[in-house]
Amino acid sequence: MRVITGTARGRKLAEPKDASVRPTTDMVKEAIFSIVQFDVPGRRVLDLFAGTGQLGIEALSRGARECVFVDSSPASLALVRKNLETCRMQGQVVRSDALSYLSHAGKFDLVFVDPPYHAGLYEDVLHALFMFDILTDGGIILVESMRGEAMPEAPAPYARGKTYNYGRISLTVYTRDSL
């Protein structure tokens, strides 16, 4: 697991020693950043269910202004801190469950949502993202899920966009339109 491009290109990231965290594969990570490539520089990013922190770190490497890493696992947050140090980057690392954090999160331009696949969290987390309205105008939510997992529609001013499939993984894009 490495940083693909940007200021930390090629840096090897620490991975979990057990199966408690499922890191995003390099192929899927490349697809994610192909989708949002023009929406990263200068943006405020939220890496929800951060795991190893690789999505937020990749965003920082590609010029994101700031990234907040949220996870409820102390072991995951230790990995995030270690990986930030390895890449000589800074980010806000927050121990919290996703739903609690979203209730007071502030505004973000780009949100990565990658919960444990079989935890049944997608609908609740997306509902909270929409209800607390944490995206800036033109902001993007990118959700990683198992292929075939039904993603909910979004209430205005949010809209569910395209779903991209990569093997067993799906990436679903949500956007926030300007009012």
Side-chain angles (χ1 to χ4, degrees):
M1 190 171 66
R2 295 182 183 276
V3 178
I4 298 168
T5 196
T7 59
R9 181 178 185 211
R11 294 243 168 85
K12 186 165 174 32
L13 301 175
E15 298 183 46
K17 294 185 185 346
D18 59 19
S20 63
V21 174
R22 172 200 36 79
T24 299
T25 66
D26 283 348
M27 179 187 76
V28 173
K29 185 167 55 170
E30 285 186 38
I32 288 169
F33 284 93
S34 176
I35 294 166
V36 300
Q37 65 183 325
F38 301 113
D39 299 296
V40 175
R43 308 302 174 121
R44 185 168 192 243
V45 177
L46 173 60
D47 189 349
L48 202 56
F49 305 98
T52 64
Q54 71 167 323
L55 295 178
I57 289 169
E58 187 73 37
L60 288 168
S61 182
R62 292 171 183 244
R65 170 176 48 92
E66 173 185 1
C67 186
V68 178
F69 300 85
V70 176
D71 206 294
S72 60
S73 164
S76 288
L77 295 175
L79 277 173
V80 171
R81 286 184 189 96
K82 181 176 183 176
N83 287 332
L84 283 167
E85 184 178 314
T86 296
C87 295
R88 297 182 186 103
M89 294 179 168
Q90 295 191 359
Q92 183 181 358
V93 181
V94 178
R95 182 176 180 196
S96 177
D97 71 87
L99 297 174
S100 295
Y101 180 78
L102 292 174
S103 68
H104 63 276
K107 294 284 188 179
F108 290 89
D109 303 298
L110 177 60
V111 178
F112 297 115
V113 178
D114 185 13
Y117 285 164
H118 301 292
L121 294 170
Y122 295 104
E123 198 156 321
D124 289 343
V125 168
L126 286 166
H127 175 75
L129 283 162
F130 304 145
M131 183 177 70
F132 295 118
D133 194 24
I134 73 164
L135 275 189
T136 57
D137 287 347
I140 297 171
I141 299 168
L142 201 137
V143 181
E144 181 179 333
S145 64
M146 288 294 293
R147 188 176 193 156
E149 178 85 34
M151 290 293 124
E153 289 297 329
Y158 291 87
R160 186 178 73 192
K162 188 170 180 179
T163 296
Y164 302 85
N165 293 308
Y166 299 92
R168 299 178 317 176
I169 307 301
S170 287
L171 301 173
T172 303
V173 177
Y174 289 87
T175 57
R176 185 184 194 287
D177 295 327
S178 301
L179 292 176

